[in-house]
Amino acid sequence: MSAIKSYDHPTNANQFNKDQERTHWHDSSLWFIREKRDRMSKSLPEWETLRSCASQIKAHTVSKLADYLEEFEKNATARGVTVHWAKDAEEHNRIVLEILQKHEAKRIVKSKSMLTEECHLNPWLEKHGIEVVDTDLGERIVQLREEPPSHIVMPAIHLKKEDVSNTFHEHLHTEQGNHDPNYLTESARQHLRQKFCQADVGITGVNFAIAETGGFVVCTNEGNADLGVSLPKVHIACMGIEKLIPKVDHLSIFLRLLARSATGQPITTYSSHFHGPVEGGELHIVLVDNGRSKIMNSDDYRNSLKCIRCGACMNTCPVYRRSGGHSYAATVPGPIGSILNPLRDAKHHKTLPFACTLCGSCSDVCPVKINLHEQLLTLRTEVKNQKQLPMSKTMPMRIASYVFQRPKLYAWLGGVGKFFLRTMPRFLIYNSLNPWGRNREMPEAPPESFRKQYAQRAKKKSDN
Amino acid sequence: MSSKDHILKSVRNQLVPSADLPSLDQEWIQYDDAVAHFGEVLQAVGGTAIAVEGIDGLTEELAKVPAYTEAKKTVSCIEGLVGTVDLARVEDPHDLEDVDYAVLPGEFAVAENAAVWVTDANIRHRVIAFIPQHVSLVIHCPDGKVEDAVVNNMAEAYQRLTWGRNEFGCFISGPSKTADIEQSLVIGAHGARSLHVFFVV
């Protein structure tokens, strides 16, 4: 399963679906979280008000982003924080490495950060002889397995406890065949404690950064971000420029939405507010663009910058649940990933907008009201306009368009189709030329066409 | 051009329609009994809450907590309660690695999500909130009224906070936990294995 290399979503999804039992299990695990989210959202009568406030705050921030970025830098600097700016992933990685080299840091602990994942920071640092340990339990599991995370909030949601047990047996020498989650978590606790205590520098992501105060917030359930940055003297926080919010009071909106949407918790266990370095230490913040400013310019896709990475759209998506996160071949999978990835690289991620069923469930659960399914529909046109669609999709559309414009031809072909469906042997109908029939039965051909039935009805009525 | 100028120019060049900020002055949820709600939610996230009378009451209750009575290395940042380690004398936070129990001040509690606001204002090493095996948070209630130490929701919580100094602050809601292995909830991931909240009246 980890061997997925192709960018083609249907191919990867097919591979995931080979293990039917696992597919069903994956589906129901995520639906369980979606249900918890529903219960949590209903516990607050102001849920919809929170969503619209969050959406408006984000829209406002993007409309004045340059001003807020400057305000943030000014206030953070005043608090003794060093602010860095990175145009792209390469520059981000270079900046982080320079800070590490300045401190002769060899061992790094990192808390979950989708941005550093997006920038491929780990392999870059490892190439330069630095040990990077992901400290979120799910992240550590997939890191030991040399896999990417399959979900942005629950990185190891695709794995069963037996898989984790085998991985830990191999790397942490836990008892073979002991699948107890308590035992496995305890083993990881002991293993990671050593890493926390040995670390030279801690790296975290940023959930929200506040222009007004120059501070930022990191949310975890495990406390790994806090342990990771309060033992070493140096903390590097990496954030996408869209993580900014104007005022500290706005956190009251976002912290109420984030965990409820993500895992169905009232709030994460630890919501840490960093406003300066530890005593005698250093705090660095790297502000990263990496394609975000380009998305700002598009009326169609600007809303996607509102995303707070809660993962609710993934948990509810019928396609994600049945195809697994790895099938998206991207750091951010699911509905939001199907927008962000093709916007950055249409050539590789062209199949993602077409994975969507347009059911709209993602837009319904999104805590910042991103119109996800509408954007996915618009993106399809874009992929077509960029001539990235395969012939297997464009050709049938062209033929259908030709036929629909010619009613007589359409009527005649309908008759031909019915005749063949009834009389042809199975292998001539169900073969590689008919991808629709691969997983489904073709409809039974009715004895008479609708057109004929309609005409007969009209005739009967006039006869009466 | 520096990357900063490049990014700012790139962001400023976009034609983004202006949008107003929403009012935060709305009817956010109120609870008939915010203190009771706090206790219920805290229990649901794996912690416990109890009101005690003065430092004597706190000592008495802590004596009933096995993790506290069995602890070899303890830290207390509460006046009148003594720990085995004096935090102010610890130079290197790594020395706190084997602390079994810490009793720390919490400023106030939030009913909707059982979070307690904890800062490093009088705590030299902020790691002490995360590295001990077990943690208790102690909230001193003004005029002995627990109601005054509990706000209804996060909007009220942020109204209480100020950001003058280089402060580290954290909303802590229950003990450390994870559900990363097959969605099984396990308490005690990296941080505290248990969390008690004491309201001192």
Side-chain angles (χ1 to χ4, degrees):
Chain A
M1 201 163 44
S2 59
I4 288 174
K5 287 277 189 296
S6 158
Y7 281 105
D8 189 65
H9 182 266
T11 309
N12 297 339
N14 266 340
Q15 205 176 327
F16 184 76
N17 273 284
K18 274 185 186 146
D19 189 342
Q20 287 273 327
E21 204 186 318
R22 195 182 269 262
T23 311
H24 287 306
W25 166 79
H26 188 263
D27 177 20
S28 59
S29 310
L30 286 152
W31 188 251
F32 170 69
I33 301 156
R34 155 75 210 264
E35 284 177 326
K36 284 207 292 184
R37 172 258 166 220
D38 286 353
R39 278 198 295 279
M40 271 298 153
S41 69
K42 288 184 181 85
S43 73
L44 290 179
E46 64 258 42
W47 185 254
E48 290 306 316
T49 311
L50 286 171
R51 286 179 75 209
S52 49
C53 279
S55 193
Q56 283 176 53
I57 293 168
K58 284 283 184 179
H60 168 86
T61 315
V62 171
S63 75
K64 292 189 165 194
L65 190 58
D67 296 343
Y68 283 128
L69 283 167
E70 284 179 318
E71 186 185 346
F72 175 76
E73 185 190 37
K74 191 181 106 223
N75 290 326
T77 309
R79 289 180 187 272
V81 179
T82 314
V83 179
H84 308 261
W85 301 72
K87 288 194 295 284
D88 50 27
E90 287 72 37
E91 190 171 16
H92 161 266
N93 291 351
R94 223 171 36 239
I95 290 169
V96 173
L97 181 66
E98 273 168 23
I99 302 169
L100 298 181
Q101 284 175 338
K102 194 182 93 191
H103 291 277
E104 293 174 9
K106 286 283 161 220
R107 282 171 296 213
I108 310 304
V109 282
K110 205 170 105 226
S111 80
K112 190 162 60 191
S113 150
M114 283 301 118
L115 178 72
T116 58
E117 198 68 43
E118 170 190 319
C119 295
H120 303 291
L121 179 68
N122 286 18
W124 160 262
L125 293 181
E126 280 157 9
K127 204 173 77 190
H128 287 88
I130 292 166
E131 181 198 67
V132 192
V133 174
D134 282 316
T135 56
D136 172 84
L137 177 58
E139 284 260 306
R140 186 60 181 152
I141 294 167
V142 293
Q143 188 184 31
L144 290 172
R145 295 170 64 90
E146 298 180 15
E147 285 177 20
S150 75
H151 188 288
I152 58 172
V153 174
M154 295 159 284
I157 189 78
H158 60 293
L159 296 172
K160 296 202 164 192
K161 51 182 190 252
E162 290 79 9
D163 304 324
V164 179
S165 171
N166 291 338
T167 305
F168 279 11
H169 174 64
E170 187 187 328
H171 296 276
L172 311 182
H173 313 297
T174 54
E175 287 167 33
Q176 192 158 23
N178 192 336
H179 305 153
D180 177 20
N182 282 293
Y183 168 72
L184 296 171
T185 303
E186 180 63 33
S187 313
R189 178 183 170 105
Q190 301 304 339
H191 156 71
L192 285 165
R193 231 157 219 257
Q194 288 174 8
K195 300 292 180 189
F196 283 125
C197 290
Q198 294 163 352
D200 304 311
V201 171
I203 298 180
T204 68
V206 166
N207 286 95
F208 307 99
I210 310 124
E212 179 190 32
T213 62
F216 62 93
V217 174
V218 181
C219 305
T220 73
N221 279 318
E222 301 178 6
N224 53 319
D226 302 288
L227 266 172
V229 301
S230 50
L231 286 169
K233 287 279 183 208
V234 184
H235 174 183
I236 306 173
C238 306
M239 63 174 268
I241 51 175
E242 85 286 12
K243 293 280 174 175
L244 213 56
I245 58 171
K247 290 182 184 302
V248 75
D249 287 353
H250 293 143
L251 286 168
S252 70
I253 304 285
F254 291 103
L255 290 187
R256 298 181 79 190
L257 287 166
L258 180 67
R260 285 184 173 96
S261 299
T263 53
Q265 291 172 259
I267 191 171
T268 47
T269 302
Y270 303 99
S271 309
S272 297
H273 300 53
F274 294 93
H275 278 94
V278 289
E279 185 187 301
E282 284 179 24
L283 176 54
H284 296 264
I285 297 175
V286 190
L287 295 164
V288 184
D289 183 345
N290 206 30
R292 286 160 175 77
S293 60
K294 254 193 236 151
I295 299 178
M296 278 178 69
N297 209 14
S298 157
D299 289 338
D300 290 326
Y301 307 115
R302 188 178 304 118
N303 264 341
S304 65
L305 292 173
K306 293 178 178 174
C307 178
I308 56 172
R309 303 288 191 267
C310 68
C313 61
M314 291 158 209
N315 302 345
T316 202
C317 176
V319 177
Y320 174 89
R321 284 188 274 122
R322 288 170 182 82
S323 51
H326 286 155
S327 67
Y328 292 78
T331 304
V332 180
I336 185 67
S338 299
I339 295 168
L340 296 175
N341 297 300
L343 286 180
R344 200 164 289 153
D345 180 357
K347 187 166 168 277
H348 282 123
H349 298 289
K350 63 190 173 211
T351 56
L352 295 185
F354 296 90
C356 174
T357 63
L358 298 179
C359 74
S361 181
C362 48
S363 308
D364 284 343
V365 298
C366 177
V368 285
K369 288 195 166 182
I370 301 172
N371 53 338
L372 291 144
H373 71 291
E374 288 170 11
Q375 292 192 32
L376 283 165
L377 184 59
T378 315
L379 255 179
R380 292 183 183 182
T381 320
E382 196 137 309
V383 173
K384 180 190 153 266
N385 290 345
Q386 288 195 21
K387 304 212 184 306
Q388 298 284 1
L389 270 185
M391 191 86 104
S392 63
K393 281 218 197 292
T394 51
M395 212 47 184
M397 283 297 172
R398 287 235 284 305
I399 295 169
S401 155
Y402 184 86
V403 172
F404 291 152
Q405 287 172 50
R406 289 162 182 80
K408 280 193 180 146
L409 178 64
Y410 175 67
W412 180 76
L413 278 173
V416 172
K418 282 204 294 295
F419 175 76
F420 279 117
L421 268 180
R422 270 199 293 268
T423 55
M424 296 272 258
R426 246 188 107 75
F427 74 90
L428 278 180
I429 297 171
Y430 297 92
N431 55 39
S432 60
L433 288 172
N434 177 11
W436 173 269
R438 213 172 285 156
N439 297 309
R440 322 168 176 80
E441 282 293 306
M442 296 296 283
E444 214 175 292
E448 282 172 334
S449 69
F450 173 76
R451 197 186 295 263
K452 211 166 172 183
Q453 289 178 38
Y454 188 79
Q456 275 172 0
R457 240 179 112 103
K459 192 165 170 276
K460 235 191 236 167
K461 257 195 182 155
S462 64
D463 287 352
N464 290 340
Chain B
M1 192 173 12
S2 73
S3 289
K4 175 185 168 181
D5 295 336
H6 188 276
I7 293 170
L8 287 175
K9 194 176 158 217
S10 171
V11 168
R12 244 185 209 116
N13 274 350
Q14 319 292 352
L15 289 169
V16 184
S18 68
D20 289 336
L21 279 172
S23 163
L24 295 184
D25 188 16
Q26 310 240 15
E27 283 184 16
W28 309 119
I29 196 163
Q30 304 288 313
Y31 298 95
D32 293 338
D33 187 344
V35 177
H37 193 85
F38 172 83
E40 281 162 31
V41 180
L42 184 60
Q43 200 168 20
V45 297
T48 57
I50 188 167
V52 295
E53 273 183 43
I55 291 300
D56 292 344
L58 175 67
T59 317
E60 216 171 278
E61 278 303 321
L62 277 171
K64 294 180 196 162
V65 179
Y68 181 76
T69 51
E70 287 160 19
K72 290 191 185 71
K73 202 167 168 182
T74 60
V75 166
S76 166
C77 297
I78 305 297
E79 223 184 288
L81 186 78
V82 185
T84 64
V85 182
D86 182 359
L87 200 59
R89 284 165 172 255
V90 174
E91 288 304 319
D92 182 352
H94 288 85
D95 296 342
L96 300 166
E97 190 192 336
D98 52 352
V99 170
D100 300 300
Y101 210 107
V103 189
L104 308 169
E107 290 189 12
F108 63 91
V110 189
E112 70 156 303
N113 53 23
V116 175
W117 180 245
V118 178
T119 75
D120 66 348
N122 297 306
I123 298 173
R124 184 167 178 199
H125 301 290
R126 60 175 80 150
V127 78
I128 198 59
F130 310 101
I131 207 165
Q133 298 295 324
H134 301 270
V135 168
S136 276
L137 299 175
V138 178
I139 302 172
H140 283 281
C141 304
D143 303 324
K145 283 196 280 195
V146 180
E147 309 85 86
D148 292 350
V150 182
V151 298
N152 286 287
N153 53 56
M154 290 299 277
E156 290 177 18
Y158 277 100
Q159 279 168 13
R160 282 211 181 190
L161 300 175
T162 51
W163 306 91
R165 58 177 278 276
N166 287 351
E167 186 173 74
F168 170 80
C170 185
F171 283 109
I172 299 182
S173 172
S176 162
K177 59 183 80 66
T178 181
D180 273 339
I181 301 175
E182 264 197 36
Q183 288 302 299
S184 307
L185 182 69
V186 180
I187 303 281
H190 302 295
R193 297 173 191 271
S194 73
L195 185 96
H196 292 273
V197 176
F198 295 104
F199 292 101
V200 179
V201 295

